[in-house]
Amino acid sequence: MAKRTIIETHALTKIYGMGDISVHALDGVDLKIEQGEFVAIMGPSGSGKSTLMHILGCLSKPTSGSYILDGESVGELDKVDLAIIRNKKIGFIFQSYNLLPRTTALRNVILPLMYDRDSELDIYEMEDKAYEMLELVGLADRVDHQPQELSGGQQQRVAVARALINDPVLIIADEPTGNLDSKSGEEIMNVLHTLHQRGATIVMVTHDPQTASHTERTIHLLDGKVDEIHTNGRNKADQTEKEMFNESV
């Protein structure tokens, strides 16, 4: 069965400022990412990777060009429609976790469901689903803990569970290991690999080549353009793992 395209951009540009002081943060970016891919976006400071992440995450709009997310053109949607798309189709994992303080892990994970106006789940069904997501990331015994009672790695796993709660077609991870020590960072990458093996489409922004090497391919940006795209060594091994997983279910 052919995989569907999750991300497709054509001549994507983003310009800040006007006239002589205008800056082309993105300058004609063409991308195509298919369902089930695990892709890293890298580049030096000022390369446009953060701008690209914001557009792919429907947090901002391009100046020109097109962006098609899961078959829907979203580049020209207004703020309200973009917010709806974000909540329904995209799961975010941020470097700083972005958890609500004095709120349990379970309640933090439930939040996207509560903002979904079309959700038909009652609060008990929401709690059940949030528990399942926390169980998936290994935090079934921490559901009642608040962020200050969790380690950095545990807080990031709560953020991963929250990103999954609405069954998104795309997970965007912005420097997901940036605030973690090496051991906790490795644990988070293992969680992302598990999600990838289960079929998740993941786009990860990182400055760390070692972290990027965990993905199937790396897209390098330079001066707002795609400078190069290379396939990583994990590609073949990950595909074998996926096939074994699919055969076992």
Side-chain angles (χ1 to χ4, degrees):
M1 181 183 296
K3 292 183 178 180
R4 73 182 192 267
T5 300
I6 299 299
I7 288 174
E8 188 169 2
T9 71
H10 297 284
L12 204 65
T13 67
K14 182 68 174 182
I15 302 173
Y16 294 104
M18 296 179 64
D20 294 338
I21 59 172
S22 64
V23 175
H24 284 71
L26 294 178
D27 190 8
V29 172
D30 295 327
L31 286 180
K32 190 172 184 179
I33 297 174
E34 294 184 341
Q35 180 184 12
E37 281 199 271
F38 190 2
V39 177
I41 296 176
M42 292 190 67
S45 178
S47 64
K49 62 182 185 295
S50 293
T51 300
L52 179 59
M53 182 203 72
H54 278 79
I55 292 175
L56 296 182
C58 295
L59 294 166
S60 66
K61 297 166 60 174
T63 303
S64 64
S66 64
Y67 172 30
I68 300 170
L69 173 64
D70 194 30
E72 181 177 359
S73 180
V74 298
E76 298 180 358
L77 295 181
D78 62 26
K79 291 182 178 180
V80 173
D81 288 333
L82 286 176
I84 293 172
I85 292 291
R86 285 198 302 272
N87 195 52
K88 289 183 177 298
K89 292 197 171 188
I90 304 173
F92 291 96
I93 304 168
F94 297 102
Q95 178 178 348
S96 56
Y97 323 136
N98 286 7
L99 301 179
L100 293 180
R102 296 182 298 280
T103 305
T104 65
L106 191 74
R107 291 292 172 176
N108 267 291
V109 173
I110 284 175
L111 280 175
L113 286 177
M114 299 183 73
Y115 286 120
D116 184 0
R117 297 175 182 176
D118 297 327
S119 177
E120 297 179 355
L121 301 179
D122 61 34
I123 187 61
Y124 300 106
E125 292 170 321
M126 290 181 184
E127 289 178 348
D128 287 344
K129 189 169 185 180
Y131 180 84
E132 289 176 9
M133 297 301 100
L134 286 166
E135 188 174 39
L136 177 64
V137 299
L139 289 179
D141 59 343
R142 296 288 190 272
V143 295
D144 293 322
H145 286 61
Q146 297 181 8
Q148 68 270 18
E149 300 171 314
L150 301 171
S151 68
Q154 289 171 334
Q155 289 184 60
Q156 190 62 295
R157 280 190 274 166
V158 173
V160 173
R162 180 184 58 195
L164 299 174
I165 193 71
N166 268 344
D167 304 313
V169 299
L170 172 65
I171 296 172
I172 293 182
D174 180 18
E175 300 281 6
T177 63
N179 283 349
L180 303 176
D181 58 45
S182 58
K183 182 176 183 297
S184 297
E186 184 177 345
E187 290 174 353
I188 291 301
M189 291 311 302
N190 286 337
V191 170
L192 292 180
H193 281 305
T194 298
L195 299 179
H196 179 221
Q197 290 162 20
R198 292 167 64 97
T201 306
I202 306 173
V203 174
M204 178 176 65
V205 176
T206 181
H207 70 281
D208 181 14
Q210 184 174 353
T211 300
S213 70
H214 283 263
T215 68
E216 292 179 305
R217 61 188 175 119
T218 301
I219 299 168
H220 289 268
L221 297 183
L222 184 65
D223 297 330
K225 300 177 182 290
V226 175
D227 184 46
E228 63 176 348
I229 300 176
H230 70 256
T231 302
N232 296 322
R234 293 192 62 92
N235 190 37
K236 185 175 181 180
D238 278 355
Q239 186 61 39
T240 301
E241 289 173 5
K242 283 185 187 178
E243 290 170 355
M244 292 174 60
F245 178 82
N246 290 334
E247 289 173 0
S248 67
V249 296

